[in-house]
């Protein structure tokens, strides 16, 4: 995409804004006048806040569910965007003298897809995504150094990823942040880690359940009467489309459809994540346009993976059970100290919803956009790229045990000696199970959510998988 000096300046401003946004969710720093505007396509950011740890307790175990980092768009989206650019370029004959007859805020023709976007694998991790993973891991290690003093082995730390490139890439980048300069390989002391495969996408009923849930897929396929479909046909999105047509001076030359405008919005979002950092397309959108398009995407996320339908979060129960079984395994065996699972929006958000987090009194619908300005459910903040949920177990510090005389061993581990804290995007959250506090006894937490275990019949919730699809073994290694 040809970019003028103005676009280059805009790019630098946006990159700087994003760097700042990665460090602060609050504050006065803004992107396009608003802090985060791309729904679940937003690059990672977190609230720089000191988390209070339970007094007289030490962290002993962590279980994290992590969305992959910032990435390239899908090949389908790249091809579609190329078709749209070709169509738009055709409306503006190129002037051989100044190279184009069209300029808008420095954006000039001909438009084209950046080379790195064309040549990338579909949805693979970008450099920004790898850096997000690395720095999240570095901060987690700094917050909980006690958890990572044991040295790496497959029995002490477990890394699991779905069968997508971006998931395994994220796992490796995250592990580098945790175990940097602690391994046996080369001058950099690189630590190789094993990343286990969670199973084929259409059979993975833990980390990619939405692909292995026939009932969910059947409901999800009905888009014609969805809130998303109603909103994209509504006056707000129509107004955005007209705004873009006006800025491109296309009123009498072409009719942009709302779907094309949405594609342009998403390519703007991905422009902030890819290695070329090409955000020139973003100049076509004003703040109010972005609010509308963010809400449009939020509707899709809300009704696909969150409170919109019960099946969206009920299908997350196998993941919850696997996490709590990890607690029990640590209490029984004292290992592993950390479990790190790398997956997707459709993994993280159903889990958060199952826990009862980020729920508004008012459901997101196509007809109440004006009432949702201060909504809690905002995927831009909850599930940006690299979104992460950490379950941290703390054990009561023993005053009466002489560790030096007892081989450094703690007293026998018991549920009654444990408290739990949940961090979302590195910030401790108030838990319904803990009466709005950021931590409580593990037993209280497990009792509060005991209904999940009692009602988790995944075949009843999702329906049985068809075809040659036997249940994955517990080992699940490949």
């Amino acid at each position: 995409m040809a970019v003028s000096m103005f676009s280059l300046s805009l790019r630098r401003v946006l990159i700087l804004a994003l760097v700042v946004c990665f460090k602060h969710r609050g504050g006065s720093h803004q992107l396009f006048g608003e802090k985060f505007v791309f729904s679940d396509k937003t690059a990672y950011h977190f609230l720089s806040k000191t988390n209070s740890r339970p007094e007289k307790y030490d962290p002993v175990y962590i279980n994290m569910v992590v969305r992959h980092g910032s990435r390239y768009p899908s090949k389908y989206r790249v091809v579609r965007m190329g078709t749209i650019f070709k169509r738009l370029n055709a409306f503006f004959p190129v002037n051989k003298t100044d190279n184009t007859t069209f300029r808008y805020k420095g954006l000039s023709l001909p438009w084209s897809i950046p080379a790195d976007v064309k040549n990338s694998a579909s949805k693979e991790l970008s450099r920004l995504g790898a850096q997000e993973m690395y720095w999240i891991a570095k901060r987690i290690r700094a917050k909980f150094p006690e958890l990572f003093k044991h040295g790496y082995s497959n029995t002490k730390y477990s890394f699991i990823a779905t069968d997508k490139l971006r998931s395994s890439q994220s796992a490796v980048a995250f592990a580098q942040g945790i175990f940097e300069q602690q391994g046996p390989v080369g001058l950099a002391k690189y630590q190789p880690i094993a990343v286990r495969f969670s199973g084929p996408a259409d059979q993975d009923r833990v980390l990619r359940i939405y692909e292995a849930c026939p009932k969910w897929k059947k409901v999800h396929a009905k888009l014609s009467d969805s809130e998303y479909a109603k909103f994209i046909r509504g006056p707000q999105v129509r107004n955005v489309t007209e705004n873009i047509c006006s800025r491109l001076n296309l009123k009498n030359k072409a009719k942009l459809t709302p779907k094309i405008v949405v594609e342009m919005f998403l390519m703007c979002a991905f422009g902030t994540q890819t290695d070329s950092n090409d955000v020139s397309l973003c100049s076509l959108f004003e703040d109010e346009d972005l609010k509308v398009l963010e809400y449009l995407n939020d509707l899709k996320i809300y009704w696909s993976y969150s409170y919109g339908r019960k099946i969206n979060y009920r299908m997350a129960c196998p993941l919850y059970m696997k996490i709590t079984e990890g607690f029990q395994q640590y209490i029984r065996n004292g290992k592993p100290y950390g479990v790190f699972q790398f997956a997707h929006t459709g993994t993280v958000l159903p889990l958060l919803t199952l826990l009862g987090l980020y729920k508004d009194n008012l459901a997101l619908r196509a007809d109440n956009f004006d009432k949702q300005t201060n909504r809690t459910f905002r995927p831009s903040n909850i599930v940006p790229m690299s979104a992460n949920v950490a379950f941290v177990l703390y054990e009561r510090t023993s005053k009466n045990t002489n560790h030096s005389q007892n081989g450094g061993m703690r007293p026998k581990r018991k549920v009654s000696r444990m408290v739990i804290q949940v961090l979302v995007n590195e910030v401790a959250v108030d838990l319904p199970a803990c009466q709005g506090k950021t931590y409580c006894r593990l037993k209280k937490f497990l009792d509060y959510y005991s209904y999940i275990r009692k009602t988790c019949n995944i075949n009843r919730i999702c329906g049985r998988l068809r075809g040659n699809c036997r249940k994955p073994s517990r080992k699940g290694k490949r």
Side-chain angles (χ1 to χ4, degrees):
M1 187 181 293
V3 187
S4 69
M5 291 301 295
F6 179 90
S7 295
L8 289 171
S9 298
L10 174 63
R11 178 187 302 177
R12 295 188 185 103
V13 170
L14 286 170
I15 295 168
L16 178 61
L18 283 168
V19 170
V20 172
C21 287
F22 298 153
K23 297 182 179 180
H24 301 280
R25 183 178 294 163
S28 60
H29 303 290
Q30 297 181 332
L31 177 63
F32 297 109
E34 292 294 325
K35 291 185 285 296
F36 312 108
V37 294
F38 300 126
S39 191
D40 69 321
K41 300 301 185 291
T42 307
Y44 185 66
H45 55 277
F46 68 99
L47 181 63
S48 183
K49 178 181 177 182
T50 301
N51 295 309
S52 60
R53 286 165 47 156
E55 292 184 10
K56 300 179 181 179
Y57 283 83
D58 298 324
V60 292
Y61 174 86
I62 186 169
N63 194 313
M64 290 189 71
V65 180
V66 186
R67 184 191 179 192
H68 59 78
S70 287
R71 62 170 175 84
Y72 280 90
S74 67
K75 282 301 178 187
Y76 165 81
R77 178 145 284 130
V78 173
V79 170
R80 180 162 172 74
M81 203 62 226
T83 301
I84 292 170
F85 281 163
K86 184 177 180 180
R87 176 181 174 183
L88 291 174
N89 288 338
F91 293 119
F92 300 98
V94 174
N95 184 308
K96 295 181 179 180
T97 304
D98 63 4
N99 212 27
T100 182
T101 60
F102 171 82
R103 292 185 184 278
Y104 178 79
K105 288 188 176 180
L107 184 65
S108 59
L109 294 178
W111 294 341
S112 62
I113 302 293
D116 66 311
V117 177
K118 283 183 181 178
N119 298 328
S120 64
S122 184
K123 297 185 179 183
E124 75 171 311
L125 209 67
S126 64
R127 285 185 297 196
L128 176 60
Q131 291 165 1
E132 289 169 353
M133 287 290 129
Y134 171 80
W135 286 109
I136 290 169
K138 294 282 281 187
R139 290 188 294 269
I140 290 293
R141 182 181 177 89
K143 287 177 181 176
F144 305 109
E146 302 95 328
L147 297 175
F148 304 103
K149 63 184 180 182
H150 310 285
Y152 174 79
S153 77
N154 291 331
T155 60
K156 295 176 183 177
Y157 301 96
S158 180
F159 290 80
I160 307 162
T162 65
D163 67 346
K164 302 301 177 183
L165 283 175
R166 55 196 181 278
S167 298
S168 56
Q169 287 174 308
S170 295
V172 172
F174 188 96
Q176 174 66 4
I178 292 289
F179 301 110
E180 188 172 30
Q181 296 185 334
Q182 296 186 21
V185 180
L187 297 177
K189 297 183 179 179
Y190 175 73
Q191 174 60 66
I193 58 125
V195 180
R196 288 190 291 148
F197 170 52
S198 62
D202 61 352
Q203 299 178 33
D204 186 349
R205 289 200 141 180
V206 176
L207 292 187
R208 206 170 165 84
I209 181 62
Y210 52 95
E211 291 287 357
C213 185
K215 288 185 179 180
W216 179 87
K217 293 176 79 171
K218 185 177 180 180
V219 171
H220 185 64
K222 298 178 180 179
L223 295 177
S224 60
D225 60 346
S226 68
E227 296 298 316
Y228 176 91
K230 293 174 186 176
F231 194 70
I232 201 172
R233 294 193 298 261
Q236 291 91 352
V237 177
R238 190 184 313 122
N239 185 55
V240 171
T241 304
E242 290 172 357
N243 290 341
I244 301 301
C245 283
S246 177
R247 288 167 202 147
L248 291 174
N249 195 26
L250 288 176
K251 284 187 176 180
N252 298 320
K253 297 181 181 179
K255 182 180 179 182
L256 289 188
T257 65
K259 289 184 178 180
I260 289 177
V261 170
V262 170
E263 288 296 324
M264 296 168 77
F265 165 76
L266 293 174
M267 286 301 287
C268 160
F270 283 116
T272 68
Q273 301 175 38
T274 54
D275 295 354
S276 56
N277 298 314
D278 191 335
V279 294
S280 53
L281 192 63
C282 299
S283 64
L284 288 173
F285 298 96
E286 302 293 342
D287 293 345
E288 293 305 312
D289 303 326
L290 292 165
K291 288 179 183 178
V292 170
L293 295 175
E294 179 194 22
Y295 188 74
L296 174 68
N297 206 70
D298 286 0
L299 281 171
K300 180 184 289 187
I301 300 299
Y302 183 87
W303 289 92
S304 296
Y305 301 118
S306 193
Y307 292 106
R309 300 183 180 94
K310 288 184 179 179
I311 193 172
N312 295 342
Y313 51 91
R314 290 189 67 208
M315 68 181 180
C317 68
L319 175 57
Y320 171 83
M321 289 178 64
K322 183 175 181 181
I323 291 167
T324 55
E325 285 166 3
F327 301 164
Q328 301 296 341
Q329 182 181 4
Y330 171 77
I331 291 169
R332 287 193 309 269
N333 306 325
K335 289 190 295 187
Y337 304 106
V339 177
F340 306 95
Q341 304 179 79
F342 297 85
H344 310 273
T345 303
T347 313
V348 175
L349 190 53
L351 175 63
L352 293 175
T353 307
L354 188 65
L355 296 176
L357 301 177
Y358 307 107
K359 186 175 184 179
D360 295 297
N361 293 327
L362 188 65
L364 272 68
R365 300 193 312 271
D367 62 359
N368 62 11
F369 168 71
D370 293 335
K371 298 179 181 179
Q372 297 287 1
T373 304
N374 298 316
R375 64 188 181 276
T376 300
F377 184 85
R378 204 168 215 117
S380 297
N381 292 335
I382 304 168
V383 282
M385 299 293 179
S386 297
N388 52 90
V389 189
F391 297 81
V392 183
L393 296 189
Y394 296 83
E395 189 174 13
R396 185 184 303 155
T397 304
S398 175
K399 295 181 179 180
N400 300 322
T401 303
N402 187 326
H403 288 253
S404 62
Q405 294 179 0
N406 195 27
M409 298 296 290
R410 288 181 175 273
K412 185 177 180 180
R413 293 169 294 277
K414 297 180 180 178
V415 172
S416 61
R417 295 180 58 85
M418 303 275 184
V419 300
I420 186 171
Q421 187 174 56
V422 177
L423 281 65
V424 178
N425 299 330
E426 306 177 58
V427 177
V429 294
D430 298 338
L431 296 169
C434 304
Q435 297 179 319
K437 297 180 180 179
T438 58
Y439 56 83
C440 63
R441 292 188 180 279
L442 177 58
K443 186 178 185 305
K444 185 176 182 179
F445 178 90
L446 295 174
D447 287 347
Y448 183 88
Y449 294 115
S450 61
Y451 72 92
I452 297 176
R453 180 173 292 276
K454 292 175 183 176
T455 59
C456 190
N457 184 330
I458 198 60
N459 285 333
R460 182 176 298 170
I461 294 169
C462 284
R464 293 184 179 277
L465 294 173
R466 295 180 180 180
N468 184 19
C469 178
R470 57 189 179 85
K471 187 178 180 180
S473 66
R474 284 187 174 272
K475 293 182 180 180
K477 297 179 181 178
R478 182 175 289 185

